Amino acid sequence: KEAPDGVDVDIERVLEGFGADLKNLSLAEFSKWKSSIRSGLNHKDQNMGQEADRYWAQIVNDGLCFNRKELALEYLDSLNSPKAVVETFQLLRRENRKVSVKMFGANADPALLAAPSPVPGKPQPVLLVGANATKRRLGSEGGASYYPTETACRITK
């Protein structure tokens, strides 16, 4: 078992390795990869429970994107080379889009509450302590009082 900060570094290392692997993907490997993803996306619900779960997942999170599978297949079809995937992956990796949440009890060791270790080449981590810290931080950054909740139910390039 590792400490969360060590796991964060390991996750970053895996993602960097994945990016390098994408760059070296041949067209034949890329086609095989796309076929595998298409097969998974085309997998039919096996029973009414799976179908209900798929629909309720959209209702519960207010996404209401009931054609997500079709959109994913359409997007997959738009990818014609590994280069397109590499560009998208690099775009997503450009900004730190990962959130790590650590919860500690009231009597936690103060050393555990120190600011997390920065990951080289990534934005400095933010440490929020206390139940209202997130609300205070959001309020100090332009007056936002919530996290965006809308989901993407369209394909854009």
Side-chain angles (χ1 to χ4, degrees), residues 84-138:
V85 178
V86 168
E87 289 170 358
T88 301
F89 183 74
Q90 288 173 338
L91 178 69
L92 292 173
R93 294 284 296 147
R94 193 171 297 145
E95 293 184 28
N96 194 4
R97 299 174 64 116
K98 179 181 68 180
V99 175
S100 298
V101 177
K102 303 174 196 174
M103 296 180 68
F104 300 97
N107 298 322
D109 179 359
L112 294 173
L113 300 176
S117 306
V119 176
K122 297 294 175 190
Q124 177 66 31
V126 175
L127 177 66
L128 302 172
V129 179
N132 294 318
T134 304
K135 187 174 182 180
R136 284 194 309 269
R137 174 143 176 110
L138 284 171

Side-chain angles (χ1 to χ4, degrees), residues 17-114:
F18 180 69
D21 290 345
L22 280 176
K23 288 179 184 177
N24 298 323
L25 205 60
S26 71
L27 195 53
E29 291 171 317
F30 178 71
S31 296
K32 186 176 177 181
W33 174 79
K34 276 181 62 171
S35 294
S36 176
I37 291 174
R38 181 174 285 103
S39 174
L41 288 170
N42 281 325
H43 184 75
K44 303 279 187 222
D45 296 324
Q46 299 298 304
N47 55 50
M48 194 178 294
Q50 288 178 352
E51 184 178 16
D53 287 346
R54 184 167 45 86
Y55 286 121
W56 275 108
Q58 294 303 315
I59 294 167
V60 166
N61 72 15
D62 289 328
L64 306 179
C65 188
F66 298 106
N67 63 334
R68 186 168 292 222
K69 184 190 299 189
E70 291 79 11
L71 289 172
L73 286 166
E74 183 181 335
Y75 184 74
L76 183 64
D77 289 338
S78 76
L79 300 173
N80 298 317
S81 71
K83 183 181 178 196
V85 178
V86 168
E87 289 170 358
T88 301
F89 183 74
Q90 288 173 338
L91 178 69
L92 292 173
R93 294 284 296 147
R94 193 171 297 145
E95 293 184 28
N96 194 4
R97 299 174 64 116
K98 179 181 68 180
V99 175
S100 298
V101 177
K102 303 174 196 174
M103 296 180 68
F104 300 97
N107 298 322
D109 179 359
L112 294 173
L113 300 176

